[in-house]
Amino acid sequence: MKRLSLLLVILLTFLSMSAGDKEAKQTMRRATQYMMDVASYKGGFVWSYLPDYSRQWGELEAWRTMVWLQSPSTPDVGQVLLDAYHATGDEYYYESACKVARCIMHGQKPSGGWNYMFDYESEETTKKWYATIGRQAWRLEEFQHYYGNATFDDEATMHCAEFLLRIYLEKKNAEFYVGLQKAIGFFLQSQYDNGGWPQRYPLMYDHPFRGKADYSSFVTINDDVMPRNIEFLIQCYRSLGMKELKEPILKAMHCLRDLQQPLPLAGWADQYSVKDLKPAHARSYEPRAVNTGTTVAMIRQMIHFYQLTGDKSFLKGIPNAIRFLESVQLPSDMVAQLGRRPLGEGDIFMPRFLNPDSGKPMYVHRKGSNVVNGQYYTDSIPTGTIAHYSSFMTTNPTMLRKALEEAEALDAKQLEQDSPLREAAISGPQDYYYRQPSGMARRMPMPGVDKIISSLDSEGRWLTVFNQISNPYKPVPATMTADSEDRQYAQTMVGDEYDTSPYANSSVKGISTRTYIWNMVALINSIRKNK
């Protein structure tokens, strides 16, 4: 009797799981059909849409014919579609991913890279967008000038190339290998002899801004340009058997190591001039500086490089980097003065930017109300700094030293022997979000499966409150020309009515690509757990 009861429980559990899986799969299919058939434009996506599609946004407001490539958008949808294909075996998801891949290849530049976005209508409409919405985004200076080339910034090119690599590996479709080859060629052609990469390529110098040289050609770490480019080439080396990639990979790793500055400011900058590899400027609120936040990231990156290679030279500069961070610690009373949360045990509070010549902190402020009359500047005053780009950083030196000690305890010879860079290899496809819960996935809370299923509406949409919207574009009056001393917008995300930069709004609901991706991830994971 007990055995019969146990079998009954197992059967009921199996039936419940099967029913749950069925409902999850139905929800995934309906939501995807809506996104592919209604929300997308020829297989491409932006970040968010009003329900009637009268307005839509990427990082800035977009036109309906535009496709956004910064996350979370088109390449991310492609990745989650392939994850859904692996979880369900439903060819619909693979076919939908192919549509996304063809869209991405449509937007690929002749050089092999990608811009932040493209417009299916024409290049002329893209130029018009830059001259209007892009031009008036006060705090997003990267959109104020039309280059026409490709960018590594915000991983736009990286995400597209990574998706083409994965979808090619899925079934070895030669159609996608064409775009993938062009992308790999772009990474190799754009690499400097010193091992670094510019922010944009082909190189252009036509946008000096506020008296400073065009920064887009500088060797760039900011937004993980160099680390992510290295990562992509390693993926190709390990999956396509491309032996010729080993040299550029190592050259880039050594360059990143050697960009560390000497004591007393033994950290890393966000970008460097090409000829002498000295810290350089970028946007108005990214001054020529040694950056404590970038330094923390590079300490961890050097540890990772050691784990990949067994080369102890990657660890050599870390003690000095940690000492540098400790040397610029700000007094604890400044935390309270600035209205910050109390520090955790062992944490230190630091300025983000240090002048590379004097070592003095530089705090970023702004005045004015829009792109015409406003300006950013730095000074020594830590209060009243801009809200959209923190002038401060927090880290824990004890934890950094612990990570270093753990790395030093590893067997260097064994690491070298086991290094994925030892030999090129050929591999099959892998999962993306399920495999690596990083980036956007790591930052988002995991929603409940039942709630996800029940919240899909009758049209197949997950309507959600937007994180951000923006002012509709309207030209700045010709009479508004003089620099302003207005401080009303000194610490806001957006300026006056002419500023097209996005700002937080909790009253507008619509279709969010981010929400679709993360709900799909949760449903996919629930199906996998029941297998």
Side-chain angles (χ1 to χ4, degrees):
M1 185 69 178
K2 288 183 178 179
R3 185 175 181 181
L4 181 61
S5 298
L6 178 60
L7 289 174
L8 183 60
V9 169
I10 292 171
L11 177 61
L12 289 173
T13 302
F14 174 77
L15 291 174
S16 174
M17 288 170 58
S18 299
D21 282 357
K22 183 178 180 180
E23 197 171 6
K25 289 177 180 178
Q26 289 174 341
T27 301
M28 288 166 56
R29 183 67 180 258
R30 286 182 56 221
T32 300
Q33 286 176 328
Y34 178 85
M35 292 298 288
M36 293 301 301
D37 297 345
V38 182
S40 84
Y41 191 87
K42 298 184 179 181
F45 297 86
V46 295
W47 291 4
S48 53
Y49 310 81
L50 290 183
D52 64 358
Y53 293 92
S54 58
R55 296 182 74 191
Q56 49 275 311
W57 292 266
E59 189 164 11
L60 290 173
E61 183 165 5
W63 293 332
R64 186 66 179 111
T65 52
M66 296 181 85
V67 172
W68 223 263
L69 301 172
Q70 294 167 285
S71 289
S73 60
T74 307
D76 306 86
V77 172
Q79 294 283 14
V80 84
L81 289 171
L82 289 180
D83 279 0
Y85 172 59
H86 285 186
T88 66
D90 188 342
E91 287 290 329
Y92 168 76
Y93 292 110
Y94 176 74
E95 293 165 2
S96 297
C98 289
K99 186 176 181 181
V100 172
R102 293 183 185 107
C103 168
I104 286 172
M105 288 174 63
H106 180 84
Q108 191 172 20
K109 297 288 185 180
S111 63
W114 287 266
N115 190 26
Y116 302 109
M117 89 300 284
F118 67 92
D119 195 320
Y120 260 110
E121 187 170 332
S122 71
E123 194 72 0
E124 292 304 311
T125 56
T126 303
K127 293 178 182 178
K128 182 179 178 182
W129 182 92
Y130 268 92
T132 53
I133 294 173
R135 173 72 180 86
Q136 288 185 200
W138 186 16
R139 65 181 173 84
L140 292 167
E141 294 174 356
E142 64 271 33
F143 293 108
Q144 293 176 15
H145 176 73
Y146 173 81
Y147 283 98
N149 58 4
T151 185
F152 288 116
D153 189 38
D154 284 352
E155 303 180 19
T157 287
M158 169 67 193
H159 283 305
C160 293
E162 190 174 52
F163 174 61
L164 287 186
L165 171 63
R166 183 183 176 197
I167 199 167
Y168 167 70
L169 291 172
E170 193 68 50
K171 296 189 178 183
K172 301 296 176 67
N173 186 329
E175 175 188 4
F176 303 128
Y177 191 60
V178 173
L180 175 59
Q181 278 188 311
K182 284 178 62 178
I184 295 171
F186 178 79
F187 280 77
L188 297 179
Q189 292 162 17
S190 59
Q191 187 179 29
Y192 285 120
D193 290 340
N194 59 29
W197 277 279
Q199 189 190 75
R200 303 189 69 95
Y201 189 83
L203 299 176
M204 299 182 73
Y205 309 91
D206 63 343
H207 187 48
F209 189 70
R210 292 192 178 273
K212 294 183 179 179
D214 189 319
Y215 65 85
S216 64
S217 66
F218 295 162
V219 172
T220 303
I221 297 178
N222 193 26
D223 283 332
D224 285 337
V225 167
M226 286 188 62
R228 291 290 276 144
N229 286 5
I230 292 168
E231 182 180 333
F232 173 70
L233 292 182
I234 291 176
Q235 288 178 33
C236 293
Y237 180 81
R238 297 182 66 182
S239 61
L240 300 174
M242 298 180 68
K243 297 179 181 180
E244 65 272 26
L245 297 182
K246 185 172 183 177
E247 182 180 349
I249 290 169
L250 291 175
K251 186 165 63 172
M253 292 168 71
H254 294 153
C255 176
L256 201 53
R257 175 198 63 196
D258 296 342
L259 288 174
Q260 183 181 6
Q261 300 299 289
L263 284 170
L265 303 179
W268 280 261
D270 284 327
Q271 48 278 318
Y272 298 78
S273 54
V274 179
K275 290 184 179 180
D276 58 9
L277 293 182
K278 298 296 184 183
H281 67 275
R283 292 176 292 188
S284 296
Y285 45 88
E286 294 169 323
R288 174 177 168 267
V290 176
N291 187 324
T292 54
T294 301
T295 298
V296 172
M298 289 304 101
I299 288 172
R300 299 194 182 281
Q301 192 68 50
M302 292 302 109
I303 292 173
H304 176 58
F305 286 169
Y306 172 65
Q307 293 167 336
L308 282 177
T309 65
D311 182 350
K312 290 186 177 180
S313 71
F314 290 114
L315 304 181
K316 188 176 180 181
I318 293 178
N320 281 349
I322 297 174
R323 282 195 286 271
F324 154 63
L325 295 174
E326 290 175 323
S327 74
V328 297
Q329 178 179 2
L330 294 170
S332 57
D333 58 357
M334 188 176 289
V335 178
Q337 179 186 354
L338 296 171
R340 303 284 172 138
R341 289 179 295 180
L343 297 177
E345 184 178 354
D347 288 349
I348 62 172
F349 188 59
M350 309 167 291
R352 177 190 289 270
F353 298 122
L354 283 303
N355 186 303
D357 300 322
S358 67
K360 293 181 178 180
M362 295 186 291
Y363 302 107
V364 185
H365 306 266
R366 75 178 184 183
K367 57 185 177 180
S369 63
N370 60 51
V371 72
V372 172
N373 67 18
Q375 61 177 304
Y376 289 88
Y377 62 95
T378 62
D379 61 22
S380 60
I381 301 172
T383 56
T385 57
I386 59 174
H388 63 83
Y389 205 94
S390 178
S391 286
F392 305 94
M393 291 299 304
T394 301
T395 195
N396 190 309
T398 300
M399 297 303 294
L400 293 176
R401 285 196 173 91
K402 181 180 178 182
L404 174 60
E405 290 169 2
E406 289 174 351
E408 290 175 327
L410 299 174
D411 187 326
K413 289 184 178 179
Q414 191 63 49
L415 291 174
E416 183 180 1
Q417 182 66 32
D418 298 339
S419 172
L421 294 175
R422 188 174 178 86
E423 292 182 6
I426 296 176
S427 70
Q430 293 180 312
D431 293 327
Y432 186 70
Y433 287 105
Y434 186 77
R435 170 175 58 87
Q436 51 173 44
S438 59
M440 180 190 71
R442 188 175 61 241
R443 294 191 297 269
M444 300 229 4
M446 176 68 76
V449 170
D450 291 341
K451 185 176 180 181
I452 289 171
I453 292 172
S454 64
S455 63
L456 191 74
D457 72 9
S458 60
E459 295 184 43
R461 308 173 302 179
W462 280 302
L463 293 180
T464 187
V465 175
F466 288 165
N467 290 330
Q468 299 182 128
I469 62 169
S470 64
N471 295 323
Y473 167 76
K474 60 180 180 179
V476 179
T479 54
M480 189 179 288
T481 57
D483 286 346
S484 170
E485 295 297 322
D486 187 355
R487 305 288 170 160
Q488 180 181 352
Y489 304 100
Q491 293 186 280
T492 60
M493 295 297 288
V494 66
D496 62 22
E497 59 189 311
Y498 304 106
D499 185 4
T500 56
S501 302
Y503 60 91
N505 186 294
S506 59
S507 62
V508 178
K509 294 184 73 173
I511 299 98
S512 164
T513 304
R514 181 190 296 269
T515 297
Y516 164 76
I517 292 168
W518 200 230
N519 284 353
M520 287 287 288
V521 170
L523 294 174
I524 289 167
N525 287 348
S526 74
I527 292 170
R528 290 179 184 277
K529 289 175 183 176
N530 292 337
K531 282 188 175 181

